[in-house]
Amino acid sequence: MNFRNNIICLLVLALLVNSCSKKGGTNPPPPPPPTPPGCATNTAPAAGSFITNASSTMTFSWTAVSGATGYDVYLGTSAATASVIASNVSGTSYNFPVPATPLSDTYYWYVAPKNATGTTTGCTSTATSFTYAVIQAPLPFGYYVVGYVPSYRSITSMPDVKFRMTNVVVYAFYAVNSTGTLTAPAAPSSTLSAVATKARANNAKIFLGINDGAAGNFKNMAATATGRNNFIKDVMNTVRANNLDGVDMDWEFPSTSDGTDATFTLLMKELSDSLHRDARYYLSCAITAGKYAGGFRDAIRNEIFPYVDFFNVMAYDDFTTDPLQLYRHHSDYTLATVCLNYWLNTRGMPAAKCVLGIPVYGRPSGMTQTGNIVTYNGVLTQGGNSQFDSAMVTTTATPTPFKVYYNGQYTTKRKAKLAKDIANGVMFWETGQDAMDNNSLLKAACDTVGRSY
């Protein structure tokens, strides 16, 4: 009996111990299965930024994500269609070759962090965009024959053949105003729209000519990045609205003496980037003759040569200061050779971008550049000889009795040939001053270089 009672007591005790053990605590739950990390944040390129084809590679970078052992980089023309361009990147940046595309495009990119359990999903919502901008000069179009048409000149006085003789027509001028944007010329005889229509009808490209308008406006506008940006936006809007082919910049006289050489260089580069996007628009520039050393000449830095499609060298309005021949010929053949030699040989301007300026007017001897001019057509009506580079005595007070020195067809032909042999074109200031018949200087140049019209 006692033995059986002992067994029963032991069983009861075991049950009590087991019951107390369960009431005293619980076993910890098993750990949850590992999950992929969260999404990263893009840092570069910044959202909405521009990348140009000037560099060969670009760098994507993003924030580190806790728990990530690698990252997949996605790129595409939309977030939804982006595909992997790099997988299992161990760091937080990736260098990618700039895509070789003919036109600019906007791209979207994001990264998907990953670890041993898999790749994070839903990161398309973190995608940001950048624009890949193709900056490339448009194709050149041979020997340039540039003719300026001032707003005060009525195009009804110029037959279509004048526009066929030129392959670039520059409407002169829109001005830079005090706010650093453009102002159209007041009360013009010919509007930009009318000149552009006539140029296009005769297979000539049409450029918007821009000058200072008032002393200091160019300088003030170009002095800051904001000023240049606002100006370029207005220029581009005007070019697009009028379906133009390019812009001709006629600041003409930035200087090393006041720092405008530096701001002019910045302006030309930034304007070039905008005009040359997708090789759409041309940029030309009127520059000093280059004969005389100084701040004006040196302000045209070699750095701008790649930015500009061609330069109109103003090889005129010069006078000898020799006391025996004081203030005589302002644009003889020798001046043309001196100017081209300086820009081409001394400075190294590409010959394909060098255009020689020819005046379609004469200046009286004995006077400085501020003296009265006589149009080439006016020279002929007063008895001047179209065939030779000569002097004639004015018959009107422009002024009498000084002689007027001008370029006739003979010198124009020599200059046109010189520009064909060692440069790439001629520029005329200005078309409306030319003779409208066979005595034309434009005709002489075209006939010399074999340009049909």
Side-chain angles (χ1 to χ4, degrees):
M1 177 68 69
N2 289 336
F3 176 76
R4 186 167 57 182
N5 289 338
N6 290 338
I7 294 297
I8 293 171
C9 288
L10 290 172
L11 291 172
V12 171
L13 181 62
L15 290 172
L16 290 173
V17 171
N18 185 54
S19 175
C20 291
S21 157
K22 289 183 179 179
K23 290 181 180 179
T26 58
N27 293 324
T35 60
C39 295
T41 300
N42 298 342
T43 57
S49 61
F50 280 77
I51 306 296
T52 71
N53 57 338
S55 58
S56 58
T57 61
M58 60 183 297
T59 300
F60 294 102
S61 62
W62 54 91
T63 58
V65 176
S66 178
T69 58
Y71 302 88
D72 290 347
V73 183
Y74 287 76
L75 178 69
T77 53
S78 72
T81 60
S83 59
V84 175
I85 59 170
S87 183
N88 298 314
V89 177
S90 59
T92 56
S93 67
Y94 175 67
N95 291 328
F96 181 67
V98 172
T101 59
L103 298 176
S104 305
D105 209 344
T106 297
Y107 292 90
Y108 294 79
W109 74 283
Y110 64 93
V111 295
K114 62 199 309 183
N115 59 21
T117 63
T119 303
T120 305
T121 59
C123 292
T124 54
S125 61
T126 67
T128 55
S129 67
F130 66 90
T131 297
Y132 172 73
V134 176
I135 309 299
Q136 181 176 314
L139 292 174
F141 44 96
Y143 186 93
Y144 300 106
V145 180
V146 182
Y148 283 81
V149 176
S151 61
Y152 53 76
R153 191 73 62 194
S154 173
I155 60 171
T156 59
S157 65
M158 291 178 278
D160 282 6
V161 68
K162 286 295 180 189
F163 289 81
R164 291 195 298 273
M165 288 175 178
T166 56
N167 52 18
V168 179
V169 173
V170 180
Y171 182 73
F173 288 106
Y174 271 50
V176 182
N177 57 39
S178 59
T179 65
T181 55
L182 294 177
T183 295
S189 297
S190 295
T191 64
L192 172 60
S193 176
V195 174
T197 297
K198 193 160 187 174
R200 285 191 288 267
N202 291 282
N203 297 317
K205 297 187 184 300
I206 175 71
F207 285 20
L208 179 70
I210 303 172
N211 70 2
D212 200 0
N217 287 345
F218 249 130
K219 175 182 177 180
N220 295 336
M221 170 273 292
T224 65
T226 299
R228 296 191 299 272
N229 185 58
N230 291 338
F231 170 76
I232 291 170
K233 283 182 178 178
D234 198 30
V235 170
M236 297 305 300
N237 287 338
T238 303
V239 167
R240 294 185 184 107
N242 292 277
N243 192 27
L244 307 181
D245 297 296
V247 169
D248 180 69
M249 289 291 282
D250 285 74
W251 186 339
E252 296 185 8
F253 301 119
S255 177
T256 58
S257 65
D258 60 4
T260 50
D261 58 321
T263 54
F264 173 72
T265 301
L266 289 172
L267 175 64
M268 294 303 286
K269 180 186 185 305
E270 292 163 9
L271 180 58
S272 175
D273 284 348
S274 292
L275 289 167
H276 287 169
R277 182 171 173 180
D278 297 334
R280 178 62 183 87
Y281 303 105
Y282 293 87
L283 175 60
S284 62
C285 180
I287 60 174
T288 180
K291 178 179 177 180
Y292 300 105
F296 293 143
R297 187 178 77 175
D298 295 343
I300 309 301
R301 298 179 177 181
N302 286 29
E303 184 181 343
I304 75 167
F305 291 170
Y307 307 147
V308 178
D309 298 306
F310 59 89
F311 294 86
N312 295 314
V313 179
M314 298 182 292
Y316 41 71
D317 291 344
D318 179 55
F319 296 85
T320 176
T321 54
D322 181 345
L324 298 179
Q325 303 185 65
L326 192 60
Y327 300 133
R328 289 192 66 185
H329 208 308
H330 76 104
S331 186
D332 60 7
Y333 182 79
T334 298
L335 179 65
T337 63
V338 169
C339 294
L340 292 184
N341 178 66
Y342 174 74
W343 289 112
L344 294 172
N345 299 323
T346 304
R347 291 291 299 275
M349 178 184 289
K353 295 188 175 189
C354 189
V355 175
L356 175 65
I358 300 176
V360 195
Y361 59 89
R363 282 193 179 276
S365 65
M367 301 190 73
T368 65
Q369 288 102 323
T370 59
N372 294 330
I373 70 165
V374 181
T375 68
Y376 172 68
N377 193 41
V379 165
L380 299 185
T381 62
Q382 295 184 54
N385 189 324
S386 67
Q387 301 304 308
F388 299 101
D389 179 22
S390 59
M392 47 80 64
V393 177
T394 59
T395 58
T396 59
T398 57
T400 297
F402 294 123
K403 290 182 178 180
V404 172
Y405 289 87
Y406 62 96
N407 283 188
Q409 287 189 326
Y410 172 71
T411 296
T412 298
K413 289 177 179 180
R414 293 182 70 201
K415 288 182 175 181
K417 185 179 186 305
L418 174 68
K420 186 173 184 179
D421 290 343
I422 65 173
N424 196 36
V426 286
M427 172 272 284
F428 292 88
W429 178 269
E430 41 93 359
T431 305
Q433 295 177 152
D434 197 12
M436 301 300 159
D437 54 22
N438 287 338
N439 294 315
S440 163
L441 300 185
L442 265 171
K443 178 183 185 320
C446 290
D447 290 350
T448 299
V449 300
R451 173 171 169 77
S452 60
Y453 51 87

